[in-house]
Amino acid sequence: MTAARMTVVLREHGLLEPSKLEWKWLLPGRGSIGAGTSLALKGSLDEAELAQKIQLFRPMGFPDAEVGALVVSGMGTWLDAEGREHHEADLVELTVYPDERHLAAELAVFHDIWGYCDFRGSPHPDVQKRNAPRLSATVQGLESLLGATAEPGDPTYFGHAEGYVIERPDLIDGRGPDLTDML
């Protein structure tokens, strides 16, 4: 239910049009059974229908198996410096970790449009100005939906969240770091 509700917020901001849901199956107290399920999605994630479908995919040999992390992926829309829309797979990815004691969710970004520089280190402030506020508004919308404050993830080679934005890199001679060696 949480993943379905979160995708509504992501869709409202054009960041994720869900097309695939994936999850692993776990045995309580033992961990992964080594099998997962991938489900193609059409349209929105209907909460009741989705919960029913997930249960139908439970492996027959593991009647006690429970759903692990749910990963929702699909297409998103980003804006170039002139404001033209571009549609791209995996612009963001949503992972929801269902746990009886503690529900957690993660929003991961996989594009350079959120930061001041592209992955080659070239500044693109107009691209950032058109996209970063959408990401910020989305995170704030998710916080409101969930009634919890988002915590930034760990820094990566490609950047670090600072509040609701991606931290601006140090510029040397007007350029940021070239990160293409890890792409």
Side-chain angles (χ1 to χ4, degrees), residues 28-108:
R30 293 183 44 204
S32 176
I33 65 170
T37 304
S38 179
L39 179 65
L41 301 171
K42 295 179 182 165
S44 65
L45 281 87
D46 177 84
E47 293 175 33
E49 180 183 326
L50 184 59
Q52 192 175 40
K53 278 185 179 179
I54 287 173
Q55 296 309 315
L56 290 172
F57 283 101
R58 183 185 316 279
M60 289 179 53
F62 298 91
D64 296 333
E66 296 178 354
V67 174
L70 296 164
V71 180
V72 184
S73 58
M75 299 293 284
T77 302
W78 65 277
L79 306 171
D80 65 20
E82 289 76 39
R84 289 186 301 264
E85 291 186 356
H86 300 269
H87 304 285
E88 188 155 336
D90 301 325
L91 193 62
V92 302
E93 183 179 86
L94 173 65
T95 304
V96 177
Y97 303 91
D99 186 312
E100 291 177 5
R101 294 163 287 159
H102 177 72
L103 176 71
E106 176 181 294
L107 181 65

Side-chain angles (χ1 to χ4, degrees), residues 7-178:
T7 58
V8 170
V9 175
L10 292 162
R11 180 182 281 126
E12 286 173 356
H13 294 280
L15 301 188
L16 178 62
E17 186 63 41
S19 62
K20 184 166 66 170
L21 178 67
E22 296 178 284
W23 66 93
K24 301 277 188 221
W25 290 100
L26 310 172
L27 287 177
R30 293 183 44 204
S32 176
I33 65 170
T37 304
S38 179
L39 179 65
L41 301 171
K42 295 179 182 165
S44 65
L45 281 87
D46 177 84
E47 293 175 33
E49 180 183 326
L50 184 59
Q52 192 175 40
K53 278 185 179 179
I54 287 173
Q55 296 309 315
L56 290 172
F57 283 101
R58 183 185 316 279
M60 289 179 53
F62 298 91
D64 296 333
E66 296 178 354
V67 174
L70 296 164
V71 180
V72 184
S73 58
M75 299 293 284
T77 302
W78 65 277
L79 306 171
D80 65 20
E82 289 76 39
R84 289 186 301 264
E85 291 186 356
H86 300 269
H87 304 285
E88 188 155 336
D90 301 325
L91 193 62
V92 302
E93 183 179 86
L94 173 65
T95 304
V96 177
Y97 303 91
D99 186 312
E100 291 177 5
R101 294 163 287 159
H102 177 72
L103 176 71
E106 176 181 294
L107 181 65
V109 298
F110 300 104
H111 207 289
D112 60 7
I113 61 170
W114 318 110
Y116 184 77
C117 296
D118 65 19
F119 288 145
R120 291 178 305 280
S122 299
H124 62 178
D126 292 336
V127 171
Q128 180 195 29
K129 286 177 189 171
R130 293 186 185 277
N131 294 286
R134 296 171 52 232
L135 179 59
S136 296
T138 300
V139 172
Q140 292 174 36
L142 292 171
E143 285 181 335
S144 178
L145 171 74
L146 300 172
T149 303
E151 298 177 16
D154 294 329
T156 71
Y157 185 74
F158 297 99
H160 181 256
E162 184 177 84
Y164 297 110
V165 298
I166 304 299
E167 182 179 54
R168 185 173 172 165
D170 293 332
L171 301 180
I172 299 173
D173 295 329
R175 295 185 54 83
D178 184 341

